């Protein structure tokens, strides 16, 4: 921060300026941090800045980008539904068989659906959905924006007065967020169906006891926690992949590195969001820990 004071000389009427520079304490503290920590803080700041730009442009003029959002949703549905559904269905079927064999040892075959509420709703459905969306659609989004960046298409759009964030980033982030929620809900139904097959077809439990125990422990806070978790997951995947694509450099090699970094960061974000939302949800609703 600086303060500029002007002074007029006597005979020649010339203007001299005295500049007093006051140090920016925040910048000095950041500059003294180790390089990895400093880069992390810069990354977080850029993500927050991009998220704020998207929020402002979406709220100030909430029209004009929904057609592009629907196109991105269709593209995402075309490319992601097979990886998401196969990963959720296969993983839940495997875990259901393991859990059914475990509870069979104590004669509680009908209680396998109680385990599925905690496993599928809280963990498997949002986790597999986030991983599949980040690995498929997030990588494609980063590659597309990164290719536009290295070809200087984004600079050309800015010269023409086109808002890159509103035109290219906002529809993609909205599509990823919406479809992550939709995939998680469908994945929950797939997980329930695969668990039902494991308990009734492979095992010898009845459909009535399976569904009765499942609905007894499945509560509204459980669904709210699932929706909150996958909403944050989709939003963070979209923002992270968009930021990495917009800042890619170094030609095709740089775009490849940006895609790799975006996917790895998204995987880490899925773990962090999953843990924190679970902790908050269970802390606010201790009754969810009760096995009914």
């Amino acid at each position: 921060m600086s303060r500029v004071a002007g002074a007029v000389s006597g005979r020649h009427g010339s203007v001299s300026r005295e500049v007093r520079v006051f140090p920016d304490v925040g910048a000095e503290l950041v500059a003294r941090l180790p390089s990895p920590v400093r880069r992390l803080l810069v990354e977080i700041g850029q993500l927050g800045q991009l998220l704020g730009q998207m929020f402002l442009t979406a709220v100030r003029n909430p029209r004009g980008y929904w057609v592009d959002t629907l196109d991105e949703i269709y593209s995402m549905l075309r490319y992601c539904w097979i990886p998401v559904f196969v990963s959720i269905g296969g993983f839940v079927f495997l875990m259901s068989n393991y859990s059914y064999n475990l509870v069979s040892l104590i004669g509680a075959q009908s209680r396998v659906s109680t385990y599925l509420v905690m496993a599928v709703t809280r963990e498997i459905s949002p986790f597999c959905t986030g991983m599949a969306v980040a690995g498929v659609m997030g990588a494609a989004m980063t590659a597309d924006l990164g290719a536009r960046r290295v070809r200087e298409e984004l600079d050309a759009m800015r010269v023409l007065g086109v808002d890159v964030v509103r035109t290219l980033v906002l529809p993609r982030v909205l599509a990823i967020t919406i479809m992550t929620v939709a995939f998680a809900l469908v994945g929950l139904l797939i997980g329930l169906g695969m668990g039902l097959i494991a308990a009734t077809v492979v095992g010898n439990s009845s459909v009535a006891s399976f569904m009765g125990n499942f609905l007894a422990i499945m509560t509204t806070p459980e669904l709210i926690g699932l929706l909150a978790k996958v909403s944050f997951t989709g939003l963070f995947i979209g923002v992270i992949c968009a930021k990495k694509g917009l800042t890619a450099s170094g030609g095709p090699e740089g775009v490849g590195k940006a895609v790799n970094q975006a996917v790895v960061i998204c995987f880490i974000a899925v773990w962090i969001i999953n843990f924190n939302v679970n902790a908050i949800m269970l802390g606010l609703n201790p009754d969810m820990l009760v096995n009914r």
Side-chain angles (χ1 to χ4, degrees), residues 46-222:
Q46 291 177 348
L47 291 175
Q49 184 180 14
L50 180 59
L51 182 61
Q53 291 176 356
M54 287 191 302
F55 179 78
L56 288 178
T57 187
V59 171
R60 288 177 177 175
N61 187 12
R63 294 179 298 176
Y65 52 83
W66 290 107
V67 175
D68 294 333
T69 302
L70 293 177
D71 292 338
E72 294 296 332
I73 288 175
Y74 173 72
S75 175
M76 185 176 182
L77 183 63
R78 233 179 11 160
Y79 289 109
C80 282
W81 71 273
I82 292 180
V84 172
F85 295 161
V86 170
S87 62
I88 294 176
F91 196 30
V92 172
F93 185 72
L94 180 64
M95 296 301 295
S96 299
N97 279 296
Y98 284 156
S99 61
Y100 183 82
N101 293 330
L102 181 62
V103 297
S104 297
L105 297 176
I106 57 175
Q109 294 89 338
S110 61
R111 306 298 294 180
V112 67
S113 57
T114 302
Y115 165 78
L116 288 180
V117 172
M118 296 180 290
V120 178
T121 307
R122 296 181 195 174
E123 304 296 340
I124 298 176
S125 178
F127 177 76
C128 291
T129 302
M131 291 293 185
V133 170
V136 178
M137 197 60 194
M141 177 181 176
T142 305
D144 178 58
L145 293 177
R148 293 172 183 265
R149 166 75 175 177
V150 298
R151 292 197 303 263
E152 300 183 353
E153 291 183 17
L154 301 182
D155 296 333
M157 293 177 66
R158 292 189 180 97
V159 170
L160 294 174
V162 178
D163 189 349
V164 174
V165 173
R166 182 180 180 85
T167 305
L168 297 179
V169 177
L170 182 59
R172 288 171 168 80
V173 174
L174 285 176
I176 286 181
T177 305
I178 294 171
M179 291 309 298
T180 303
V181 176
F183 281 149
L185 293 177
V186 177
L188 176 61
L189 297 178
I190 293 176
L192 178 61
M194 299 302 291
L196 183 62
I197 293 174
T200 59
V201 178
V202 179
N204 58 1
S205 180
S206 65
V207 177
S209 62
F210 180 91
M211 294 302 301
N213 290 326
F214 182 86
L215 295 176
I217 197 173
M218 189 67 172
T219 59
T220 302
E222 197 85 51

Side-chain angles (χ1 to χ4, degrees), residues 14 105 114 148 220 226 239 255 265:
S14 61
L105 297 176
T114 302
R148 293 172 183 265
T220 302
L226 171 65
V239 174
V255 175
I265 294 174

